[in-house]
Amino acid sequence: MVSKDILPNREKEPDTLSEELLAWFAANSRKLPWRIGYIPYQVWISEIMLQQTQVKTMLAYYDRWMVRFPDIASIAQAPEDDVLRLWEGLGYYARARNIQKAARIMVSDLGGKVPRDFDVLRSLPGIGRYTAGAIMSIAFNADYPAADANAGRIFARLGDIAHPSGSKEFCDSVDRMAWQLLPRGRSRDFNQALMDLGSLVCLAKEPLCVQCPISGRCEALYKGFTGLRPVKAGKKAVIQIARAAVVMVRKGKVLIRRRPGTGLMAHLWELPGGDVPSGMSPQKGVGRLWEDELGIRLGPLESLGVIKHSHTAFRVELHAFLCNDPNPLPRAVKNAQQLQWVAIAELEKPAFPSAHRRIIRAFLERLRCASQADSPVAIPKAKKPLPVSTQDFSNA
DNA sequence: AACTCGTGGCA
DNA sequence: TTGCCAAGAGT
């Protein structure tokens, strides 16, 4: 056995892949708010917000979340409507409700703290295998892998994994590499190094291999296969759907409806409407929907415009209408729907799906300008999340 | 084991 | 414009 003292230079130079990554991270890491002090609560919230969401998209949400909910107790005590309103526009709204469920468990059963235990974390709502590992490593620097899509892509190229991403074989290979490369005691930086490298250098499209600190060990690059790794699973066909919704105005208030507590956009509010029955015009279709679901016969409709918006599985054209009805009288409402008349000035308070928020913006704009086009206008996307103010619109 | 669950950035 | 993609979890 050769004494370390005889080989001082090898001690100073990174000589493993993990050390190359750690050195790269030390020089190139992104400055992100939850990386200041690594407060477990902040790391947890950041990880939930980042699920299927890019840093650039969530950053503004994260900042205002920490102003409104600076700690676990504040989120545990908050009304669910407040939580959803702060999440409006981020998507996957079960994440927000699961944060609150988990916060309440932390307060009641876990001493009001983020648990420092993988299995306990894993048992909390919204925390799966990845997120539990991410919190253990990033918040507590404990030795757990956190192999997200970035790490998966890096490992798939590094080891030239030919299995399709999402397959069990792929996940097993990634998991094995993650455990194998994890430098004990440095898991916080290592896991984040993989994420930053994946989002800054080892990009899904056109990776910047010349900037990569481990390109010399990348099997896919050596074979010229970086564009083929990871192998993507088959994609599904996108379906076109026509929907319609109505801004019903009566005595300065607008009728909104709360969505059910399960399924798509649970517990968000919406402008009543829905899928346009096939073969009908949007205008006629939404009249049918209102009559069937609300027992309201709509008066003359004015177009507010058309919204094009897409989900993973389908592309939607949402037709928005305005109805100034002096006296609509709801008959029997089906399915015990939760309906509410909200003052126009309070429309910013409930949480709406993005597309419906765009309709409300167009409606308020119409009130300001009173302009009307001949044909439906395209309603644009908002650039930033709508600022939040006081909640509680229920008694307005 | 496949689906479902959203949205905005980006080329 | 269209399609792809993103720090996944729950069922």
Side-chain angles (χ1 to χ4, degrees):
Chain A
M1 179 85 187
V2 179
S3 167
K4 282 183 185 177
D5 297 333
I6 306 176
L7 301 165
N9 291 333
R10 295 197 63 172
E11 291 291 300
K12 288 172 190 169
E13 293 297 322
D15 61 351
T16 72
L17 190 146
S18 300
E19 285 168 359
E20 298 276 7
L21 282 172
L22 287 169
W24 178 87
F25 184 69
N28 298 283
S29 64
R30 291 174 290 181
K31 312 306 175 201
L32 298 170
W34 53 92
R35 290 178 175 175
I36 302 171
Y38 292 107
I39 297 164
Y41 169 70
Q42 297 183 355
V43 171
W44 166 42
I45 299 302
S46 75
E47 283 303 330
I48 304 299
M49 278 192 179
L50 283 162
Q51 289 170 4
Q52 302 291 286
T53 307
Q54 298 186 23
V55 169
K56 183 171 184 179
T57 302
M58 59 75 83
L59 217 40
Y61 287 86
Y62 176 89
D63 287 339
R64 75 179 191 184
W65 179 283
M66 287 304 159
V67 172
R68 173 67 181 80
F69 302 125
D71 50 35
I72 297 173
S74 59
I75 175 71
Q77 293 162 5
E80 191 191 75
D81 274 325
D82 287 25
V83 178
L84 286 172
R85 179 59 184 81
L86 247 70
W87 207 268
E88 182 189 286
L90 263 186
Y92 291 134
Y93 296 94
R95 292 184 292 174
R97 301 209 296 144
N98 282 336
I99 285 176
Q100 187 166 47
K101 289 176 193 166
R104 288 174 176 168
I105 294 171
M106 290 178 198
V107 166
S108 61
D109 301 347
L110 300 171
K113 297 195 292 189
V114 176
R116 191 183 185 132
D117 180 295
F118 182 91
D119 293 321
V120 176
L121 282 168
R122 182 68 186 75
S123 73
L124 293 169
I127 299 182
R129 202 172 59 128
Y130 161 76
T131 303
I135 294 172
M136 286 303 289
S137 59
I138 298 173
F140 302 116
N141 197 29
D143 289 328
Y144 289 85
D148 65 331
N150 289 306
R153 188 168 58 252
I154 292 169
F155 292 149
R157 287 172 177 160
L158 207 54
D160 192 37
I161 301 173
H163 303 290
S165 62
S167 69
K168 187 178 187 304
E169 292 86 348
F170 181 88
C171 294
D172 288 347
S173 296
V174 167
D175 199 50
R176 187 174 350 102
M177 292 178 75
W179 275 111
Q180 190 174 342
L181 294 171
L182 194 70
R184 271 48 176 179
R186 303 294 311 276
S187 300
R188 167 185 288 157
D189 286 349
F190 179 74
N191 287 340
Q192 294 188 101
L194 288 172
M195 297 171 193
D196 278 21
L197 187 71
S199 54
L200 296 174
V201 177
C202 194
L203 307 174
K205 299 174 186 174
E206 301 183 43
L208 309 173
C209 299
V210 289
Q211 299 179 25
C212 180
I214 55 175
S215 60
R217 310 173 194 245
C218 182
E219 201 160 332
L221 177 62
Y222 182 77
K223 295 178 179 173
F225 282 1
T226 55
L228 303 175
R229 300 288 181 264
V231 176
K232 302 165 200 84
K235 56 240 171 218
K236 279 174 279 185
V238 177
I239 304 167
Q240 305 264 353
I241 297 183
R243 292 193 177 136
V246 174
V247 179
M248 164 69 78
V249 185
R250 179 195 180 203
K251 296 180 184 174
K253 294 187 178 180
V254 171
L255 187 61
I256 63 174
R257 175 170 66 183
R258 191 166 138 105
R259 296 183 56 84
T262 57
L264 188 65
M265 294 179 276
H267 278 179
L268 269 69
W269 293 82
E270 65 183 0
L271 299 163
D275 289 350
V276 176
S278 62
M280 282 191 202
S281 68
Q283 191 150 348
K284 204 168 187 67
V286 79
R288 170 71 60 87
L289 290 168
W290 272 64
E291 185 138 10
D292 289 352
E293 297 178 9
L294 307 175
I296 295 176
R297 191 180 294 275
L298 290 172
L301 297 179
E302 180 182 327
S303 175
L304 279 170
V306 180
I307 285 167
K308 296 186 182 211
H309 110 284
S310 53
H311 296 230
T312 310
F314 38 125
R315 177 174 305 281
V316 181
E317 277 201 341
L318 174 60
H319 300 260
F321 297 100
L322 172 60
C323 181
N324 280 292
D325 199 317
N327 194 23
L329 294 175
R331 293 201 311 259
V333 170
K334 285 187 181 177
N335 305 327
Q337 297 175 75
Q338 202 172 339
L339 297 171
Q340 197 154 322
W341 290 95
V342 179
I344 290 173
E346 309 250 301
L347 279 173
E348 70 191 47
K349 294 182 180 177
F352 289 98
S354 256
H356 287 236
R357 178 59 73 193
R358 284 164 70 183
I359 295 179
I360 289 166
R361 281 180 55 239
F363 165 62
L364 297 175
E365 196 66 23
R366 174 68 61 88
L367 290 183
R368 252 194 300 282
C369 304
S371 65
Q372 189 176 354
D374 297 335
S375 56
V377 193
I379 300 175
K381 288 186 183 182
K383 299 299 180 195
K384 294 178 180 177
L386 188 71
V388 285
S389 57
T390 315
Q391 301 298 304
D392 191 15
F393 53 92
S394 53
N395 297 317

